[in-house]
């Protein structure tokens, strides 16, 4: 590239899960090698990339309406390139260009390493579509440069795809079969992150606890083994992982929650429903009782662990009694946080063939479920007042002199204190709670 030309500007908007956040970072770094710098508004950009989510119906529709809004920008700047990445790209492929002809590039989640080459191709006025499932490790091929300083908390993808085929879910189709990255590459990436200022790593995978990497000697690694190896990295202070399936909570992973000092006391463990009938129809392959017993074992290993979950209300043929069973399970578990959704029918999934629950009934159930979860989350927050917790500081707060960080339990904590800098991990006594966060003072 000619050193005197201005860098080209890339705007990325990310939808959906944390894996998309990680992917967007990798794509931005790869585009850095093509002379692009990231900007924070679409108006400034020479290229706009939407990294999309297909998990629920509204997510895909949002992408199309977002694309529509870029029309004026494209009219004003005909050279502007527009790309769609992520799971909507995977699911819709060329259909996106048919519905929205101003799109230049469509790239699925498994071919991001081909993005620089695709961008060069669309530079000549061509269109580019790639939604293959190639065999190579895209993160190895993605050349990340330049390597700057990183924020204290980072994501690291260790596993992608899912073989579970829950009856409502598109992930096995959009992200493909389960693939685990080799442990050596993950450990190397973790060490690089630490050198760049990272103190906390969240291991990502659609089914992260099904991780089954193979090292160069052909030995198999579980997620627990990987966590123990990360635990040895000097300078790395905290380890988390998400998202887990109850059936893959192996004994060594449960034990790690008790024994591994850097593994944080927070676990996202979706159950989706508390009704055995619905769980069976969802193809979850566990009962409500199985889940409750598992929670007991996890809490025996780590009594203070904070649990979060995902719930779907209004799954086809969910009755009032099924929904009551879900509320009963929530009461039995006592969550610190949860994500809850109205069932959204996804074409091509088995559940899409089943009769729908009335929309108003689903809405009502969602409100009731969220009210219960909010009550539990609020009680958990209240229970933190007076306790001493670790806080990893990330950025300045809104008040002068104030810093914000995350507690071991993933609560946002505000502390006013001279001399705290991002990346500091300090002991903090919690003194007060706000609706969704905590305040405290350095110990
Ligand atoms: N409808 C509603 N929610 C869904 N999820 C996945 N697929 C659907 C769907 N078709 C939810 C699940 C999952 C979370 C990531 O999204 O609760 O755990
Ligand atoms: Fe989807 Fe998770 Fe079920 Fe896999 S385990 S099919 S990602 S809901």
């Amino acid at each position: 590239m000619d050193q005197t030309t201005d860098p080209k500007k890339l705007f990325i908007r990310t939808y959906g899960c944390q894996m998309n956040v990680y992917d967007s970072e990798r794509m931005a770094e790869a585009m850095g090698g093509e002379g692009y710098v990231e900007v924070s508004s679409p108006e400034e950009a020479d290229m706009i990339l939407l990294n999309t989510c297909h998990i629920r119906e509204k997510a895909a529709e949002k992408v199309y309406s977002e694309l529509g809004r870029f029309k004026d920008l494209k009219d004003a700047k005909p050279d502007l390139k527009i790309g769609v990445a992520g799971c909507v790209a995977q699911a819709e492929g060329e259909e996106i260009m048919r519905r929205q002809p101003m799109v230049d590039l469509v790239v699925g989640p498994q071919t991001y390493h081909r993005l620089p080459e695709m961008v060069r191709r669309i530079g000549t006025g061509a269109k580019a579509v790639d939604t293959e499932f190639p065999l190579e490790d895209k993160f190895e091929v993605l050349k990340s440069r330049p390597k700057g300083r990183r924020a204290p908390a980072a994501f690291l993808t260790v596993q992608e795809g899912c073989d579970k085929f829950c009856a409502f879910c598109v992930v096995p189709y959009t992200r493909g079969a389960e693939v685990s990255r080799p442990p050596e590459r993950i450990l190397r990436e973790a060490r690089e992150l630490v050198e760049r200022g990272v103190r906390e790593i969240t291991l990502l995978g659609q089914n992260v606890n099904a991780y089954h990497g193979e090292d160069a000697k052909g030995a198999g690694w579980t997620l627990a083994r990987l966590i123990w190896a990360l635990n040895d990295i000097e300078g790395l202070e905290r380890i988390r992982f998400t998202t887990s399936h109850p059936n893959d909570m192996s004994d060594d992973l449960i034990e790690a929650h008790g024994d591994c000092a850097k593994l944080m006391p927070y676990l996202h463990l979706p159950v989706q429903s508390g009704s055995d009938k619905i769980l069976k129809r969802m193809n979850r392959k566990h009962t409500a009782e199985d889940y409750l017993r598992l929670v007991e074992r996890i809490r025996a290993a780590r009594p203070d662990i904070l649990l979060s979950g995902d719930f779907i209300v209004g799954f086809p043929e969910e009755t009032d009694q099924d929904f009551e069973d879900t509320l009963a399970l929530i009461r039995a578990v006592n969550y610190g946080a949860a994500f809850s959704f109205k069932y959204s029918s996804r074409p091509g999934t088995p559940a899409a063939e089943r009769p729908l629950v009335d929309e108003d009934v689903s809405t009502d159930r969602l409100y009731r479920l969220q009210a219960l979860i909010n009550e539990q989350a609020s009680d958990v927050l209240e229970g933190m007042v007076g306790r001493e917790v670790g806080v990893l500081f990330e950025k300045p707060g809104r008040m002068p002199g104030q810093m914000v960080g995350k507690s071991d339990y993933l609560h946002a904590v505000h502390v006013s204190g001279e001399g705290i800098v991002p990346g500091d991990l300090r002991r903090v006594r919690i003194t007060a709670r706000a609706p969704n966060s905590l305040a405290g003072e350095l110990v």
Side-chain angles (χ1 to χ4, degrees):
M1 198 182 72
D2 182 351
Q3 294 296 315
T4 57
T5 51
D6 282 340
K8 285 173 283 180
K9 298 188 178 107
L10 171 69
F11 172 75
I12 305 185
R13 180 160 287 156
T14 307
Y15 300 84
C17 64
Q18 291 146 327
M19 192 168 290
N20 268 7
V21 175
Y22 177 83
D23 287 345
S24 290
E25 287 167 359
R26 298 290 77 67
M27 286 193 277
E29 288 184 341
M31 294 285 283
E34 297 297 302
Y36 278 86
V37 294
E38 226 183 325
V39 292
S40 57
S41 80
E43 287 75 22
E44 303 169 67
D46 301 300
M47 174 156 185
I48 295 173
L49 199 55
L50 300 184
N51 191 7
T52 61
C53 171
H54 201 238
I55 196 94
R56 283 166 294 274
E57 195 184 345
K58 289 215 178 80
E61 286 313 310
K62 241 194 269 171
V63 171
Y64 281 111
S65 65
E66 186 74 28
L67 285 169
R69 276 200 290 274
F70 294 144
K71 191 173 177 309
D72 290 348
L73 290 180
K74 182 104 175 177
D75 287 346
K77 193 197 271 183
D79 279 348
L80 174 68
K81 300 293 179 203
I82 298 181
V84 179
C87 294
V88 174
Q90 187 64 41
E92 306 262 289
E94 284 177 23
E95 175 65 18
I96 295 179
M97 285 163 178
R98 269 191 290 274
R99 260 182 83 171
Q100 196 47 269
M102 67 183 179
V103 171
D104 301 286
L105 176 155
V106 172
V107 58
Q110 301 313 328
T111 47
Y112 291 154
H113 52 295
R114 298 179 182 164
L115 187 62
E117 183 231 305
M118 292 173 80
V119 169
R120 267 170 257 147
R121 220 179 326 143
I122 63 172
T124 66
K127 301 249 176 196
V129 179
D130 194 338
T131 53
E132 277 179 41
F133 284 99
L135 287 173
E136 67 265 20
D137 180 346
K138 66 181 169 197
F139 299 123
E140 277 303 294
V141 187
L142 272 176
K143 286 282 168 283
S144 55
R145 53 189 168 131
K147 286 201 158 83
R149 230 21 222 172
R150 292 281 307 250
F155 296 128
L156 202 176
T157 294
V158 303
Q159 177 278 344
E160 259 191 278
C162 182
D163 295 341
K164 293 281 188 288
F165 289 92
C166 297
F168 50 82
C169 185
V170 288
V171 166
Y173 312 98
T174 54
R175 290 273 172 168
E178 257 179 59
V179 179
S180 295
R181 296 177 68 200
E184 295 94 336
R185 293 183 191 168
I186 295 165
L187 293 168
R188 196 186 60 217
E189 195 172 323
R191 279 186 222 103
E192 279 174 15
L193 287 172
V194 170
E195 277 163 27
R196 295 168 68 191
V198 169
R199 317 283 312 272
E200 169 179 316
I201 290 181
T202 301
L203 305 175
L204 295 182
Q206 268 93 24
N207 223 316
V208 73
N209 57 344
Y211 176 82
H212 55 280
E214 193 180 299
D215 66 20
K217 294 190 199 114
W221 284 53
T222 61
L223 185 68
R225 183 167 176 197
L226 185 64
I227 288 168
W228 277 109
L230 287 161
N231 195 58
D232 287 338
I233 296 179
E234 210 177 309
L236 180 63
E237 305 293 349
R238 288 172 150 189
I239 305 164
R240 306 180 187 275
F241 60 90
T242 195
T243 290
S244 298
H245 191 288
N247 290 359
D248 292 312
M249 272 324 279
S250 53
D251 293 345
D252 60 347
L253 189 56
I254 295 174
E255 279 161 26
H257 273 289
D259 303 336
C260 182
K262 294 180 184 173
L263 185 57
M264 288 294 105
Y266 184 104
L267 179 65
H268 185 58
L269 194 63
V271 63
Q272 315 295 353
S273 167
S275 150
D276 287 344
K277 180 193 95 189
I278 295 296
L279 286 169
K280 197 166 170 58
R281 292 185 186 181
M282 285 177 163
N283 193 31
R284 293 288 293 181
K285 298 197 169 78
H286 60 76
T287 63
E289 186 56 33
D290 294 336
Y291 182 84
L292 292 174
R293 255 185 282 133
L294 174 62
V295 165
E296 247 170 55
R297 287 174 55 219
I298 296 165
R299 285 203 169 123
R302 181 77 203 227
D304 63 334
I305 200 162
L306 199 149
L307 293 172
S308 68
D310 289 343
F311 295 91
I312 295 177
V313 300
F315 186 80
E317 300 168 286
E318 183 188 68
T319 63
D320 285 340
Q321 184 55 51
D322 295 321
F323 176 65
E324 291 301 329
D325 291 348
T326 300
L327 296 182
L329 178 140
I330 294 171
R331 284 189 202 101
V333 172
N334 193 26
Y335 288 93
F339 302 94
S340 49
F341 314 96
K342 271 195 268 185
Y343 170 73
S344 168
S345 177
R346 310 308 287 128
T349 59
E353 312 294 319
R354 315 290 303 173
L356 289 172
V357 168
D358 180 81
E359 178 75 23
D360 293 340
V361 171
S362 292
T363 305
D364 180 60
R365 287 178 188 164
L366 187 68
Y367 286 145
R368 287 180 58 202
L369 187 148
Q370 287 179 343
L372 176 58
I373 292 281
N374 289 345
E375 213 178 283
Q376 295 188 339
S378 172
D379 288 350
V380 168
L381 209 57
E382 189 70 41
M384 291 288 161
V385 177
R387 284 181 61 180
E388 197 185 299
V389 296
V391 174
L392 178 63
F393 288 97
E394 294 183 359
K395 56 182 186 224
R398 251 173 295 169
M399 312 293 241
Q402 192 188 52
M403 289 290 289
V404 192
K406 292 274 166 60
S407 80
D408 302 336
Y409 306 93
L410 219 50
H411 289 128
V413 182
H414 300 255
V415 174
S416 47
E418 292 298 309
I420 307 174
V421 295
D424 280 356
L425 179 62
R426 305 285 290 269
R427 300 298 293 172
V428 169
R429 193 178 327 278
I430 303 300
T431 51
R433 64 158 292 192
N436 294 307
S437 65
L438 296 166
E441 53 197 29
L442 293 182
V443 174

